[in-house]
Amino acid sequence: MLSDLFVAAFIAASGFVAAGVLGSFYQFLTGEPPRFIAEMKGPVSLIVIVTLWLVAGPFIFMRNAVQGYYHETFSIKMLAFAGGLTAMWSTLSGMMVLSFLFAL
């Protein structure tokens, strides 16, 4: 049972690390932080933006939640709820990333 919890924590951590790496790489390339609002100019940009949202979503979501907490628009309960959602999203993202890596 403890090993299952360790595997789930590893999957969630790998998902959040992948989200952070992709979000930081996007910010390095474009010079602006990734957002959930984007301008799509064609089918290729649609694929890139949706992939960015799916994989880097936990990073974007938690960054927005922490900024909201610092600007006093979020309470500590809302920040904790955002952390829980981020953990679940990171687990799903980690499953996708690890499945892709194992398939290689």
Side-chain angles (χ1 to χ4, degrees):
M1 183 167 150
L2 189 59
S3 62
D4 294 338
L5 185 61
F6 176 73
V7 169
F10 178 77
I11 291 170
S14 62
F16 195 74
V17 166
V21 167
L22 186 62
S24 296
F25 185 69
Y26 177 84
Q27 186 169 355
F28 175 73
L29 288 179
T30 62
E32 62 183 34
R35 297 185 186 108
F36 285 123
I37 299 171
E39 185 176 326
M40 296 174 214
K41 298 178 182 175
V44 175
S45 67
L46 174 70
I47 292 171
V48 169
I49 291 297
V50 169
T51 304
L52 177 76
W53 288 342
L54 288 175
V55 178
F59 173 73
I60 300 168
F61 188 68
M62 199 62 202
R63 187 194 64 217
N64 291 342
V66 169
Q67 285 177 350
Y69 178 71
Y70 283 137
H71 294 299
E72 296 179 0
T73 57
F74 273 26
S75 67
I76 192 71
K77 292 178 186 178
M78 291 175 68
L79 186 63
F81 184 71
L85 285 176
T86 300
M88 289 185 275
W89 194 345
S90 295
T91 303
L92 295 174
S93 180
M95 286 291 288
M96 184 177 67
V97 168
L98 290 177
S99 296
F100 177 74
L101 289 176
F102 287 146
L104 289 178

